[in-house]
Structures are given as structure tokens and as C-alpha cells.
Amino acid sequence: MFTCCHPALAIEAQVALTLGMLGELETDEIARAFLVPTATIAQRFVRAKRKIRDAGIPYKVPDTTDLSVRVDAVLTVIYLIFNDSERRFLERRLREIQP
């Protein structure tokens, strides 16, 4: 998670990229979490990946001294993954109890 949350990217891009790569959420699911159109998230992916490529940002675990600048994005991802899991659980339960 800390690898995807590189401070050179906007926090929205960090979170969206992490949700997609590690959370295995689809683009439309991430868009719902951000309350934006799917095309907006798709474009964030494109811009984030381009910035990573152009800046030569390595996918590596950062040094412990670099973790603090990434904590906000990591905590946001954990919160959104938890909420998505809870939503899915509640949807399943509702389907089970509805006639």
C-alpha cells in the first residue's frame, strides 16, 4: 500500500490506484466510492500511470523515513476497503432476508 501511495501523485490518484491494484476494485466501484463518474477515475489511472512512468517512480517499499507522508492516503484506502466490504456484506444479507 505504501508503494502505491507515492507523494508525487495527488492523494486522489494514490487512493484510486491503490484501490484498483491492491483492493481489486473495478473502476466503476472506485468511482462510486469517490462519488465521481467512472470516466474520471479511468482518467486518474491514466494520469497516475503516466506520471509514474515519466518520473521513473519505482514500485518499491519506501524507507521508514518516507512512510509518514504516505499515511493519510494509506488510511483512506483502508477506510474505503472496509466500507466497501461492509456494503457488500449488507447487500448479501438484505438479499437473504427479502422474500
Side-chain angles (χ1 to χ4, degrees), residues 4 9 17 47-59:
C4 292
L9 303 172
L17 192 62
R47 285 192 299 267
K49 289 176 183 179
R50 184 181 311 131
K51 183 161 191 162
I52 289 167
R53 182 195 66 223
D54 293 349
I57 297 171
Y59 279 108

Side-chain angles (χ1 to χ4, degrees), residues 50-75:
R50 184 181 311 131
K51 183 161 191 162
I52 289 167
R53 182 195 66 223
D54 293 349
I57 297 171
Y59 279 108
K60 68 177 186 107
V61 177
D63 294 329
T64 56
T65 57
D66 296 329
L67 295 179
S68 63
V69 295
R70 301 176 189 216
V71 168
D72 286 343
V74 168
L75 292 176

Side-chain angles (χ1 to χ4, degrees), residues 25 33 76-90:
L25 272 67
T76 301
V77 169
I78 292 169
Y79 173 79
L80 291 172
I81 288 174
F82 173 80
N83 279 344
D84 184 65
S85 297
E86 185 70 15
R87 178 191 57 81
R88 290 175 194 221
F89 170 77
L90 291 174

Side-chain angles (χ1 to χ4, degrees), residues 4-18:
C4 292
C5 295
H6 195 281
L9 303 172
I11 190 161
E12 295 86 0
Q14 294 174 32
V15 172
L17 192 62
T18 307

